[in-house]
Amino acid sequence: MTNDEKIYSTCQSDKEEGFRLLLGTYQRQIYGFIRRMVVVHEDAEDVTQETFLRVFRGLGQYRRESGLGTWIYQIATHECLRFLGKRKSQFLSSDSDSHLTDSLMASDYIDYDDQLAIRFQEAILRLPDKQRVIFNLRYYDELDYQEISRITDTNVAALKADYHYAKEKVKNYMMEE
């Protein structure tokens, strides 16, 4: 029995223990993904909580066509995009470099003495939502294109193109003065 199967069957037989097992297995990596998307810790906590509530409520609809982690990433991606849609002007404003920096400064996961790291995060925040999702899943979470395809419901060729364009945008932003 795989870990995902154990989590699923435990959720069916003992919801409380199953949810504890689910969180213990996936919470850290899902929180990391969400944090990179929304930046601010408190927002990431809220989106993570909403993600796991949706996972738990929807476990009966989980069709097991892909891994449990992939399904959870799908839900987390939708939650991030919904959150960013509500706060689009706050996080993706291209008019205000200082606003992006302020959002980053509210974060405690960045070494503020490392200007290159700050610039890199600013570059990622400037990506369109879909490219930012793909970039984060590939670059940070090191997922392969097949799994990202299942998470985003996008074909692999389009993902590769989006990732390439995202890398180029990040690289170009990093080279600007």
Side-chain angles (χ1 to χ4, degrees):
M1 178 182 286
T2 68
N3 197 33
D4 282 355
E5 289 170 348
K6 181 179 181 190
I7 293 169
Y8 184 77
S9 66
T10 304
C11 284
Q12 300 307 307
S13 62
D14 181 349
K15 290 190 183 301
E16 189 174 315
E17 180 59 27
F19 193 61
R20 200 176 0 262
L21 189 56
L22 178 78
L23 287 175
T25 303
Y26 288 105
Q27 186 174 24
R28 177 176 277 182
Q29 75 189 69
I30 296 298
Y31 169 82
F33 167 70
I34 291 170
R35 177 77 185 264
R36 287 186 299 276
M37 291 296 296
V38 303
V39 179
V40 178
H41 169 69
E42 291 78 13
D43 294 335
E45 281 186 328
D46 291 345
V47 175
T48 301
Q49 181 178 10
E50 185 61 33
T51 295
F52 281 101
L53 284 172
R54 288 187 183 275
V55 166
F56 190 68
R57 288 182 192 140
L59 209 51
Q61 287 90 35
Y62 170 55
R63 293 185 300 254
R64 301 167 83 175
E65 294 169 353
S66 61
L68 186 60
T70 301
W71 184 66
I72 295 169
Y73 267 110
Q74 286 174 328
I75 294 169
T77 298
H78 290 296
E79 289 303 310
C80 285
L81 293 175
R82 182 172 33 204
F83 176 85
L84 292 172
K86 291 178 185 174
R87 303 250 167 93
K88 194 163 189 80
S89 63
Q90 178 181 355
F91 289 104
L92 298 177
S93 173
S94 58
D95 317 343
S96 172
D97 288 340
S98 66
H99 191 66
L100 282 173
T101 304
D102 291 346
S103 293
L104 288 172
M105 292 306 185
S107 168
D108 61 1
Y109 74 54
I110 297 173
D111 176 4
Y112 297 109
D113 295 329
D114 185 351
Q115 290 300 313
L116 190 60
I118 293 171
R119 187 119 174 105
F120 185 67
Q121 292 304 314
E122 287 174 342
I124 294 169
L125 285 175
R126 291 180 173 281
L127 293 172
D129 292 347
K130 185 176 180 183
Q131 285 181 1
R132 184 157 33 134
V133 166
I134 293 165
F135 186 86
N136 280 315
L137 291 172
R138 182 79 176 143
Y139 184 83
Y140 286 110
D141 295 304
E142 298 178 351
L143 300 180
D144 63 37
Y145 287 112
Q146 291 297 330
E147 188 163 7
I148 297 170
S149 173
R150 288 187 291 272
I151 291 168
T152 61
D153 196 29
T154 305
N155 75 53
V156 172
L159 284 175
K160 288 180 179 181
D162 280 337
Y163 184 68
H164 172 75
Y165 291 132
K167 282 192 321 186
E168 288 301 310
K169 289 176 184 177
V170 168
K171 185 169 72 174
N172 290 339
Y173 185 79
M174 296 297 291
M175 296 171 81
E176 292 175 2
E177 282 294 324

